[in-house]
Amino acid sequence: MPEAQDTALHKENHRRAIRSFVVRAGRMTPGQRHALERLWPHYGLDLPGGEFDLDQAFGRQAPRALEIGFGMGDALLALATDHPGQDFIGVEVYPPGIGSFLLRVEQAGLTNVRVVCADAVQVLTQHLPTASLDRLLVLFPDPWPKKRHHKRRLVNALFLNLAARVLTPGGQLQIATDWADYATAIGEVLPTRPDFTPIEADSINAGRPETKYERRGQRLGHDIHEFVYRRQ
């Protein structure tokens, strides 16, 4: 690797030491803990030394979508239920939520869902093969509303570099937020990317399910800002 490129990569990795999430304190209920221990071998993906073999993980080849920070998993569960011919990966850092979600996956009898418990940036950088996703969803990420915390926001130029790498040509990037200033920042950075083209609202593929945080934003009177782009 040329010295300049190596230096740039080092600086980029240093910047990502600022995480876009905080693992907040919270106790796991006995049910959540039991679900996580029992169901992880069926639905969990442990981080490999290199890249995931997604065909092996799902036992087939199929279009694949990934949701970052799925929370309670409402959207991910609905998508996986409605599209059995596609595979869905959820990345989340909150173990109690993962435990609850895995119970719902089991109850729904779904076989097309896998879960990763890790930093999404690490997953996108190190563990997803190039052009391995047909859809990438970031639905109502932590807005980090205080100005001094804006550097922790997930969606930025570096994130778009990672999204461009893991999406297939023609793959879809979908971002939603109910925070106006976050939407402004996203709306400023996306148009600078020649490798992403906006999709007109009337051609968005079947929309997306509503999420818990979306409903909360609506109750607070927040406008919902949606960004849907196609990877060139």
Side-chain angles (χ1 to χ4, degrees):
M1 178 182 292
E3 183 178 350
Q5 185 177 352
D6 183 57
T7 301
L9 183 59
H10 174 77
K11 290 180 178 177
E12 184 171 282
N13 288 339
H14 176 71
R15 284 197 298 270
R16 286 318 310 171
I18 301 172
R19 290 188 172 184
S20 62
F21 65 91
V22 169
V23 180
R24 294 178 173 85
R27 265 184 209 176
M28 294 184 72
T29 67
Q32 290 168 337
R33 185 178 302 280
H34 179 65
L36 193 56
E37 293 173 351
R38 181 173 62 86
L39 297 175
W40 186 262
H42 300 281
Y43 300 108
L45 292 179
D46 295 317
L47 295 181
E51 295 181 340
F52 290 119
D53 183 337
L54 295 178
D55 289 348
Q56 182 180 58
F58 285 97
R60 66 175 182 177
Q61 292 182 332
R64 293 192 174 115
L66 183 146
E67 183 182 359
I68 294 174
F70 59 80
M72 300 301 293
D74 294 347
L76 193 60
L77 191 75
L79 286 168
T81 301
D82 292 343
H83 302 283
Q86 301 177 24
D87 295 333
F88 293 87
I89 304 164
V91 178
E92 180 56 68
V93 295
Y94 188 54
I98 294 175
S100 296
F101 176 67
L102 293 183
L103 275 177
R104 298 173 69 194
V105 171
E106 181 186 46
Q107 290 164 0
L110 298 176
T111 60
N112 60 336
V113 176
R114 298 293 183 271
V115 173
V116 181
C117 183
D119 176 2
V121 171
Q122 178 186 356
V123 173
L124 294 176
T125 303
Q126 301 178 27
H127 303 298
L128 280 176
T130 299
S132 57
L133 299 179
D134 298 276
R135 192 175 184 187
L136 178 59
L137 299 106
V138 186
L139 305 181
F140 304 92
D142 194 328
W144 292 103
K146 295 181 180 179
K147 188 172 182 179
R148 68 177 183 272
H149 291 155
H150 285 185
K151 62 182 178 292
R152 293 183 177 273
R153 287 177 169 176
L154 174 66
V155 182
N156 54 28
L158 171 59
F159 171 78
L160 293 179
N161 288 341
L162 300 177
R165 186 186 75 80
V166 300
L167 281 167
T168 61
Q172 180 176 299
L173 172 64
Q174 188 162 4
I175 304 168
T177 181
D178 63 314
W179 284 83
D181 67 325
Y182 200 175
T184 297
I186 295 169
E188 289 174 351
V189 69
L190 270 169
T192 68
R193 302 292 305 223
D195 45 358
F196 283 102
T197 302
I199 300 175
E200 295 297 327
D202 60 358
S203 65
I204 294 173
N205 182 22
R208 57 165 181 77
E210 197 175 56
T211 77
K212 169 189 172 183
Y213 291 105
E214 181 173 13
R215 293 189 291 271
R216 177 181 179 276
Q218 290 170 335
R219 287 195 302 270
L220 293 172
H222 296 177
D223 291 330
I224 305 302
H225 303 270
E226 199 93 29
F227 303 88
V228 185
Y229 277 67
R230 178 177 291 112
R231 172 73 165 95
Q232 290 295 94

